[in-house]
Amino acid sequence: MSQPSAKLNAFPVFMRVEGEAVVIVGGGDEALAKARLLGQSSARLVIVSDHVEPELADWMVANNAEHINALYDPAYLDGAVLVFAATGDAGQDRLISDDARRLGIPVNAVDRPELCDFFTPALVNRAPLAVAIGTEGAGPVLAQMVRSKIDRMLSPSLGSLAVLAASFREGAEKLLPKGSPRRRFWNEFFSGAPARALENGQPEEAREVASALLRRQEPTEGHIALVGAGPGAEDLLTLRAHRHLMEADVIVYDALVPEAVIAMGRRDAERLPVGKRKGCHSKSQAEINDLLVSLGREGKRVVRLKSGDPLVFGRAGEEMQALRDAGISYEVVPGVTAAFAAAADFELPLTLRGVTSSMVFTTGHDLKGKSLPDWAKLAISGATVAVYMGRSVAADVASRLIAAGLSPDTAVAVVENASLTSRRKFHGTLADLPSLEDRTDLTGPVMTIIGDAVAGANFDKSEPLAAQRHIGAAARTGETVA
């Protein structure tokens, strides 16, 4: 499974300050920086200081800030919704912070995180749209760098677009059903003709095309996206997959898909687990097919989220056939399959000039029958073989391939939890492979790659399978391993 996301110690919120008093105590550069930041809001700014620097004094006049020309007194904090201690003096800032907390007013002491109830963000202002970037006081310069990048990305007309959207919100709620129809309207509103008209400085045209868009009535059609979630690491998700997750009404996901990937979808999307694990099937494939057809007929936009790639051992063929038979619109979004992630973890070339130019994807269960699969001939002739879900049948895989003529010395690479920070890597030969069955500590998905090309991998951070092979053999015979 993917590693859990780090927890925020300061949760970002937007506080209403319109017409409310925000007190800044201080008269120097620190106070001026906070005044400029708060000056982007509609708060009533109050500067408390018996001495202010000329630049701050000019700013207060230009921005109608209130100045209390006096030494600090806690009485000046009464009625404030926020307080900033910006005196530059550690003892004075602590006193102000203590007074504010005693009065139940959130306080920020400039450059003194231990005295802060909240942290001021680096702000990208497209009022009423705002993007706030914070680092909990750990890296203000980093926050400013990120702010600069975001500022360049966002059109200056976004604020006007948000204002226009507010005027259409009531109409959209009355005329459009909740869910896909309403979301499609807003998607086209914010990325289509209304947005382009405002960017071109044509507000009346923007209103006209938005009105036409709202009046347009189209039947709601369901759509199913069979999406590859990749091998586990959320940053291996494709941009197209992410877009579908953000547009989905329903996310239907398998057991091996990490929560971190599912969480990349819309927060209000319905989430339906249908995962199948060994010995624990929550839904049959037929039930999953019926579910997808039913959701499509309801007009839902559905992401069917599958581990790896949908077309590699993902039963996508059965689901696509069911959707075709029902006349439901669908598409396939490829994902990074586990073999590629395992190869990347090992820096392993799956094809290697002069060594192998072909490869096989298979599951260990293919080697449990009486007859050897056709692909085994390719393995013997030099193809790289990627075995999915093969830990419990590793001995079968090894013995059948060796019996068929593949050398016991053929190189093998094994990865548990490919692509994740929790991955574990092992290497050895085909003769060592049966030791995997004794590894009850391997609880994550296991990927095995077999072939001469494996010898070109980087084994620096990999454990040898041979060591476990000897331990397992000794345990079975009752011997002691020194």
Side-chain angles (χ1 to χ4, degrees):
M1 295 295 287
S2 178
Q3 294 297 302
S5 299
K7 300 292 187 181
L8 290 169
N9 293 321
F11 188 78
V13 296
F14 287 91
M15 184 175 222
R16 290 187 181 276
V17 295
E18 182 180 6
E20 300 288 349
V22 173
V23 174
I24 301 173
V25 183
D29 291 340
E30 295 91 345
L32 176 60
K34 293 305 178 185
R36 284 172 171 163
L37 179 65
L38 270 296
Q40 298 180 67
S41 75
S42 57
R44 180 169 59 86
L45 290 186
V46 180
I47 312 296
V48 178
S49 179
D50 63 335
H51 172 76
V52 296
E53 295 297 326
E55 193 173 359
L56 176 57
D58 292 343
W59 189 93
M60 288 191 298
V61 172
N63 292 273
N64 297 317
E66 180 182 342
H67 179 208
I68 298 178
N69 187 4
L71 291 171
Y72 167 72
D73 187 284
Y76 297 136
L77 306 184
D78 286 345
V81 295
L82 295 174
V83 170
F84 290 86
T87 68
D89 179 89
Q92 183 75 347
D93 284 350
R94 180 174 293 279
L95 175 63
I96 296 164
S97 178
D98 290 343
D99 288 340
R101 287 171 170 171
R102 177 173 50 80
L103 294 169
I105 306 170
V107 62
N108 174 281
V110 178
D111 293 334
R112 308 186 201 285
E114 73 281 4
L115 300 180
C116 293
D117 294 325
F118 66 93
F119 302 96
T120 53
L123 193 62
V124 179
N125 187 356
R126 299 290 189 274
L129 174 70
V131 180
I133 304 103
T135 62
E136 298 182 7
V141 173
L142 174 61
Q144 289 294 340
M145 291 170 60
V146 174
R147 185 204 66 79
S148 179
K149 291 181 179 180
I150 295 174
D151 200 26
R152 292 194 298 268
M153 290 169 53
L154 300 182
S155 168
S157 65
L158 281 181
S160 299
L161 186 62
V163 172
L164 182 63
S167 68
F168 278 85
R169 183 172 180 175
E170 184 177 351
E173 291 178 353
K174 286 182 178 179
L175 296 176
L176 300 174
K178 188 176 181 181
S180 294
R182 194 179 298 174
R183 190 161 53 256
R184 280 199 292 271
F185 165 77
W186 286 120
N187 283 341
E188 192 166 346
F189 182 99
F190 288 120
S191 62
R196 289 192 296 272
L198 279 177
E199 285 182 351
N200 293 330
Q202 299 170 316
E204 290 305 319
E205 181 179 343
R207 182 170 291 278
E208 288 174 8
V209 293
S211 296
L213 182 63
L214 183 60
R215 292 193 300 268
R216 190 176 70 191
Q217 296 292 328
E218 293 180 350
T220 301
E221 295 183 358
H223 182 76
I224 315 297
L226 306 178
V227 173
E234 57 267 30
D235 56 355
L236 286 178
L237 199 71
T238 66
L239 292 174
R240 185 179 299 179
H242 192 200
R243 176 171 59 82
H244 278 286
L245 282 168
M246 291 301 295
E247 295 174 352
D249 299 308
V250 183
I251 300 172
V252 179
Y253 61 94
D254 281 343
L256 290 179
V257 178
E259 173 58 31
V261 173
I262 301 167
M264 295 175 77
R266 287 176 46 243
R267 284 187 298 175
D268 56 344
E270 185 179 3
R271 300 178 181 185
L272 300 177
V274 295
K276 296 185 285 294
R277 284 188 182 272
K278 184 176 179 181
C280 184
H281 290 197
S282 63
K283 281 189 181 294
S284 68
Q285 188 58 52
E287 289 173 324
I288 295 173
N289 296 347
D290 290 342
L291 173 63
L292 296 178
V293 169
S294 176
L295 291 170
R297 285 176 173 163
E298 292 174 14
K300 303 288 189 181
R301 297 190 71 83
V302 180
V303 166
R304 171 68 174 105
L305 201 54
K306 294 171 174 288
S307 179
D309 183 277
L311 304 178
V312 180
F313 305 118
R315 296 196 176 183
E318 298 170 53
E319 294 174 7
M320 288 189 291
Q321 186 61 56
L323 294 169
R324 278 196 295 268
D325 291 344
I328 303 296
S329 168
Y330 71 89
E331 66 180 287
V332 179
V333 179
V336 176
T337 191
F340 296 155
D345 287 341
F346 262 110
E347 302 169 27
L348 185 164
L350 293 169
T351 60
L352 190 61
R353 187 169 58 178
V355 178
T356 181
S357 59
S358 58
M359 66 176 302
V360 174
F361 291 173
T362 186
T363 68
H365 305 289
D366 285 350
L367 283 167
K368 294 187 74 173
K370 293 182 180 180
S371 60
L372 203 61
D374 290 340
W375 62 256
K377 300 174 184 176
L378 293 174
I380 295 166
S381 65
T384 303
V385 179
V387 184
Y388 291 69
M389 302 171 287
R391 187 190 70 80
S392 62
V393 292
D396 268 344
V397 171
S399 62
R400 296 293 302 280
L401 288 177
I402 291 172
L406 191 60
S407 170
D409 293 327
T410 303
V412 170
V414 178
V415 184
E416 177 198 29
N417 293 326
S419 82
L420 300 178
T421 56
S422 60
R423 62 182 171 266
R424 300 171 67 189
K425 298 187 292 184
F426 309 89
H427 67 276
T429 66
L430 192 59
D432 300 324
L433 195 57
S435 66
L436 278 183
E437 293 194 29
D438 297 320
R439 299 297 298 258
T440 56
D441 58 316
L442 299 180
T443 58
V446 171
M447 188 79 221
T448 303
I449 302 177
I450 304 168
D452 292 334
V454 174
N458 182 350
F459 298 128
D460 287 349
K461 296 182 180 180
S462 173
E463 301 175 35
L465 284 168
Q468 184 65 26
R469 176 186 177 189
H470 298 318
I471 293 172
R476 285 190 291 273
T477 60
E479 297 177 10
T480 301
V481 179

